[in-house]
């Protein structure tokens, strides 16, 4: 079997109504530009008829492939398995809700192959979302740009294109799909571009993401920043901070005791050490320092690449 020009990876959750239109749209765009393709639909444990729709569409579109999770694992898990299955020269990701336009695929592919980008991220400059989603998203993206140094306007955009070796070199887990550009840069792929893309109003159903994703987004941002700097050697962070606190607390304790002994030797009025709040703060700093150092040491011993971190129970597949 020859390698397809593009692999379109579509994570989905309860999107049965939009799938026929989406797959037909992808097929029409690929055929219109003379591109061979595969569409990999990853059903993230949908509770509606999404998988039945995937099976039905497979009979009409031979290029369609499907992966069905036995339960809901999240978008990152769906992308991870979709990336593992993708065989195309260029891999494109998009959401299943018809808000991302397949018409963008040929230009995204061209930017990868002709302009030499490793990754091109969509930028929904004009969004058809409520204000309650747009402004928190703008603030989140501003924070992510400032923290990571990657000049993208829309980290959350699901429409992205990748050189094949990029998706084969990164590990997407937890909720890290928002920070794939950061993961790609950590893996050595630094040519990251951006393209303004059309954003359509949701046609069917409702959004599967609530305001809690903003909280998760910031926690994930902290995680990815920590992992990028200290992931391979947590002792540098925990051990360094623990050593600093231990020395600060130990030095303060010694200073208090020496001060007391000096005053005793010179018959000066003195305050018992145990009545000084600073003494207890110093002891606390010593204890915390030891604990942080041990946390760093244990982190070094634990295998960061846990063997079951990306194991998902796949119920069915279509090839």
């Amino acid at each position: 079997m020859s390698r397809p020009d593009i692999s379109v990876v579509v994570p989905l959750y309860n999107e049965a109504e939009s799938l026929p239109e989406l797959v037909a749209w992808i097929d029409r765009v690929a055929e219109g530009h003379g591109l061979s393709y595969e569409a990999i639909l990853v059903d993230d444990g949908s509770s509606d008829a999404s998988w039945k729709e995937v099976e039905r569409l497979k009979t009409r579109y031979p290029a369609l492939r499907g992966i069905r999770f036995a339960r809901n694992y999240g978008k990152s898990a769906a992308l991870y398995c979709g990336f593992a299955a993708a065989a195309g020269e260029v891999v494109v990701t998009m959401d299943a809700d018809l808000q991302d336009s397949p018409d963008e695929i040929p230009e995204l592919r061209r930017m990868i192959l002709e302009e030499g980008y490793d990754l091109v991220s969509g930028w929904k400059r004009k969004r058809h979302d409520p204000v309650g989603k747009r402004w928190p998203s703008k603030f989140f993206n501003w924070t992510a740009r400032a923290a990571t140094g990657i000049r993208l306007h829309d980290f959350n955009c699901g429409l992205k294109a990748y050189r094949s070796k990029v998706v084969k070199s990164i590990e997407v887990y937890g909720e890290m799909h928002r920070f794939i550009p950061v993961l790609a840069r950590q893996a050595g792929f630094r040519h990251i571009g951006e393209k303004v893309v059309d954003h359509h109003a949701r046609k069917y159903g409702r959004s599967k993401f609530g305001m809690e994703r903003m909280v998760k987004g910031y926690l994930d941002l902290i995680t990815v920043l920590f992992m990028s700097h200290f992931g391979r050697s947590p002792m540098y962070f925990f051990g360094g901070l623990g050593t600093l606190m231990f020395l600060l607390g130990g030095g303060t304790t010694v200073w208090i005791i020496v001060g007391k002994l000096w005053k005793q030797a010179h018959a000066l009025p003195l305050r018992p050490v145990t009545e000084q709040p600073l003494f207890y703060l110093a002891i606390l700093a010593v204890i915390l320092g030891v604990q942080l150092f041990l946390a760093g040491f244990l982190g070094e011993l634990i295998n960061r690449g846990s063997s079951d971190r990306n194991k998902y129970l796949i119920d069915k597949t279509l090839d």
Side-chain angles (χ1 to χ4, degrees):
M1 181 179 178
S2 60
R3 187 181 193 184
D5 295 322
I6 53 173
S7 294
V8 184
V9 177
V10 183
L12 64 99
Y13 179 68
N14 292 345
E15 298 287 359
E17 292 177 305
S18 64
L19 292 180
E21 190 172 336
L22 176 65
V23 174
W25 196 353
I26 294 172
D27 183 77
R28 185 169 63 250
V29 169
E31 183 177 352
H33 288 81
L35 299 173
S36 61
Y37 79 98
E38 61 177 3
I40 304 173
L41 306 186
V42 186
D43 183 355
D44 186 22
S46 295
S47 57
D48 67 353
S50 292
W51 183 251
K52 290 183 179 179
E53 194 62 41
V54 172
E55 291 178 318
R56 187 188 70 80
L57 290 168
K58 172 66 176 177
T59 63
R60 182 176 177 184
Y61 301 98
L64 186 147
R65 301 172 63 192
I67 299 173
R68 183 189 185 190
F69 288 166
R71 67 173 180 85
N72 180 249
Y73 286 103
K75 188 173 182 179
S76 291
L79 288 175
Y80 175 81
C81 291
F83 287 162
E89 183 180 18
V90 173
V91 179
V92 176
T93 60
M94 61 192 320
D95 294 335
D97 55 12
L98 297 176
Q99 291 191 277
D100 295 334
S101 171
D103 289 331
E104 306 285 355
I105 292 175
E107 178 61 16
L108 289 170
R109 177 178 180 271
R110 188 198 66 79
M111 293 177 69
I112 294 289
L113 297 181
E114 297 182 15
E115 297 185 25
Y117 287 107
D118 296 313
L119 183 160
V120 179
S121 179
W123 172 18
K124 297 172 289 189
R125 178 183 287 172
K126 183 178 181 181
R127 294 185 56 173
H128 297 277
D129 285 325
V131 174
K133 287 185 65 176
R134 293 201 306 268
W135 284 105
S137 181
K138 285 179 181 291
F139 182 70
F140 170 78
N141 283 308
W142 176 84
T143 306
R145 283 196 301 273
T148 66
I150 298 178
R151 314 312 296 175
L152 293 179
H153 290 85
D154 193 354
F155 282 81
N156 275 324
C157 183
L159 184 57
K160 291 181 172 65
Y162 310 83
R163 197 175 298 277
S164 177
K165 62 182 180 180
V166 175
V167 301
K168 303 299 184 182
S169 302
I170 61 176
E171 183 184 15
V172 188
Y173 62 94
E175 296 290 329
M176 291 298 175
H177 58 272
R178 302 177 183 88
F179 300 106
I180 290 180
V182 183
L183 300 177
R185 188 180 65 175
Q186 290 174 13
F189 301 102
R190 298 186 173 275
H191 201 184
I192 298 173
E194 186 173 53
K195 180 185 182 300
V196 176
V197 297
D198 289 333
H199 183 242
H200 301 269
R202 174 174 276 274
K203 191 172 182 178
Y204 302 106
R206 58 186 180 84
S207 174
K208 311 301 187 299
F209 300 98
M211 287 302 295
E212 71 275 4
R213 78 171 183 169
M214 296 302 299
V215 177
K216 292 181 179 179
Y218 281 105
L219 294 177
D220 292 337
L221 178 59
I222 295 172
T223 299
V224 78
L225 290 175
F226 177 84
M227 296 303 290
S228 65
H229 290 89
F230 307 105
R232 292 189 178 276
S233 188
M235 179 60 83
Y236 290 161
F237 178 78
F238 291 108
L241 184 59
T243 300
L244 178 63
M245 294 192 69
F246 181 86
L247 293 176
L248 181 63
T252 302
T253 303
V254 171
W255 179 75
I256 291 173
I257 294 174
V258 169
K260 177 187 176 183
L261 294 176
W262 187 85
K263 289 181 179 180
Q264 282 182 332
H266 293 78
L268 296 174
L270 55 87
R271 185 181 180 187
V273 170
T274 54
E275 293 183 5
Q276 299 184 43
L278 184 59
F279 173 74
Y280 294 101
L281 291 176
I283 295 299
L284 177 63
V286 170
I287 295 172
L288 290 177
V290 172
Q291 290 180 332
L292 286 170
F293 186 88
L294 289 175
F297 181 71
L298 291 174
E300 291 286 345
L301 296 178
I302 296 172
N303 183 2
R304 177 170 165 261
S306 176
S307 60
D308 60 353
R309 181 167 64 189
N310 268 314
K311 284 188 177 179
Y312 307 108
L313 180 59
I314 295 175
D315 187 33
K316 295 180 182 178
T317 61
L318 287 176
D319 291 310

